[in-house]
Amino acid sequence: MQLVMVGLGRMGANIARRLKRNGIEVIVFDVNPNAIQTMVEEGFVGISDLAQIKSTVRSPRAVWIMVPAEVTAKTIRDVAENLEPGDTIIDGGNSYYRDDVTNAAWLGNHDINFIDVGTSGGVFGLERGYSLMIGGEVRVVTSLTPIFAALAPGITAAPRTPGNVGEPSTAEQGFLHCGPVGSGHFVKMVHNGIEYGAMAAYAEGLNLLDSVRNGIKHISPINGVDSTTYDLDLAAVTEVWRRGSVVASWLLDLTAEAYVEDPTLSSYSGVVADSGEGRWTVEAAIEAGVPANVLSAALMGRFASRGNGKYANQLLSAMRKKFGGHVEAK
């Protein structure tokens, strides 16, 4: 089976590599010629122009687009100009699920199929495999099953859930057809919203453990003021949590690795970006009238990390001084 990979960044290049390892013939393209050359040196067939797709790839063609969300729509149209009816475009990036519906409708007018694939696995996906959340027509998704199976981690990636018997489902193998166009990216969007919340919970908990090194003051009308101070080894805490703890997870594994590499975390500024999915998740929760307290707070925490609350804090300080004469702590 053949696939064209458009976009050879960290995710796109490794997806191509994993597919090649598993017997899929991958033709690669990127706007950066150096990225193409790197892959060609690894044995891939590279094309320098999208117009070469027709002459290089057998029909029906499948093209996986792995580019930033802001240029996805344009890339889809550029690719479509070089496809024929019956070909398929796969958007594997972190696109907004409502944009999927628009893109699919536009492609449908040209008799080109569209599939959205929420792709999780990051830089480790090459070795571990990718968790895939897929939206699109059953017929089209089924025709691309060899690609999804080649990318997915497989049944051995996790212990089988007790009670599951018989032939493993695709979900147990690491890829799931979630429903019609847009559903794959919707599920991935919520996945990333949960990721925001989980990361924030670990960060806040470890921050609290770190703060006790400076002592926690206890004020009691009976016992007066005393304090609790523990000189905790946070790297060791993450290690013990990784073993048998309810909060053990891959995120915790990565946190432990970060402590080994940089025990004081001094190489990190603490300015945390958000790539869109967290915002879209909160927007969807608001539109659905569904509470998402943790996910919303995690997103707001990322905004705060970038100093976006500084002006509000200045106003709070000003108001405290005005009504109560409170002077800022130096």
Side-chain angles (χ1 to χ4, degrees):
M1 191 169 193
Q2 291 180 309
L3 177 79
V4 181
M5 176 60 68
V6 174
L8 301 173
R10 288 175 297 179
M11 288 284 284
N14 277 349
I15 287 173
R17 292 180 177 113
R18 185 169 175 89
L19 287 170
K20 185 172 181 289
R21 286 182 182 182
N22 288 286
I24 305 295
E25 182 184 351
V26 184
I27 295 87
V28 298
F29 172 81
D30 194 277
V31 293
N32 180 0
N34 293 332
I36 300 173
Q37 183 58 34
T38 296
M39 301 297 281
V40 168
E41 291 172 0
E42 294 180 23
F44 289 87
V45 174
I47 56 175
S48 58
D49 192 301
L50 292 174
Q52 295 175 267
I53 291 176
K54 281 185 182 179
S55 60
T56 308
V57 184
R58 298 184 298 273
S59 180
R61 304 168 185 87
V63 181
W64 186 300
I65 293 175
M66 205 70 180
V67 298
E70 58 268 23
V71 298
T72 295
K74 181 181 184 305
T75 305
I76 285 173
R77 282 155 177 75
D78 290 344
V79 169
E81 289 179 1
N82 300 284
L83 296 181
E84 297 176 328
D87 292 343
T88 300
I89 287 180
I90 304 164
D91 178 6
N94 284 323
S95 297
Y96 187 35
Y97 72 98
R98 295 177 70 175
D99 291 341
D100 292 331
V101 177
T102 301
N103 291 328
W106 186 87
L107 290 170
N109 291 331
H110 298 79
D111 295 321
I112 296 173
N113 304 312
F114 178 83
I115 298 293
D116 57 285
V117 180
T119 309
S120 182
V123 296
F124 293 89
L126 175 59
E127 303 300 334
R128 291 168 55 101
Y130 298 90
S131 175
L132 305 174
M133 295 139 270
I134 307 161
E137 294 182 23
V138 173
R139 168 185 59 83
V140 183
V141 173
T142 301
S143 71
L144 298 171
T145 295
I147 289 172
F148 303 137
L151 288 174
I155 186 67
T156 60
R160 201 165 193 196
T161 301
N164 281 352
V165 295
E167 186 70 21
S169 66
T170 65
E172 291 180 283
Q173 296 172 51
F175 65 101
L176 175 66
H177 182 201
C178 300
V181 165
S183 63
H185 277 148
F186 188 87
V187 173
K188 176 58 162 54
M189 176 189 76
V190 176
H191 161 284
N192 282 26
I194 293 170
E195 178 186 291
Y196 278 37
M199 292 171 71
Y202 282 126
E204 290 178 9
L206 288 162
N207 187 47
L208 179 56
L209 294 178
D210 178 67
S211 70
V212 80
R213 293 167 169 171
N214 298 319
I216 298 178
K217 289 184 179 180
H218 311 290
I219 302 176
S220 166
I222 299 175
N223 300 319
V225 178
D226 63 358
S227 66
T228 299
T229 303
Y230 299 126
D231 187 16
L232 298 173
D233 182 341
L234 299 191
V237 170
T238 60
E239 287 294 348
V240 74
W241 283 354
R242 291 179 60 218
R243 293 165 173 83
S245 163
V246 172
V247 299
S249 73
W250 186 37
L251 280 175
L252 189 61
D253 295 344
L254 297 176
T255 303
E257 288 181 22
Y259 275 124
V260 170
E261 295 166 357
D262 184 357
T264 64
L265 304 182
S266 59
S267 61
Y268 299 94
S269 68
V271 176
V272 187
D274 70 288
S275 54
E277 300 90 337
R279 300 187 190 209
W280 300 336
T281 302
V282 173
E283 287 173 5
I286 292 170
E287 291 167 352
V290 173
N293 303 319
V294 173
L295 309 190
S296 300
L299 176 63
M300 298 304 149
R302 294 198 178 195
F303 295 162
S305 78
R306 304 200 288 267
N308 294 340
K310 181 180 178 182
Y311 186 73
N313 291 331
Q314 288 174 304
L315 282 174
L316 287 171
S317 187
M319 286 184 275
R320 291 184 77 248
K321 182 177 181 181
K322 288 298 181 184
F323 76 71
H326 302 288
V327 179
E328 289 182 334
K330 301 296 183 183

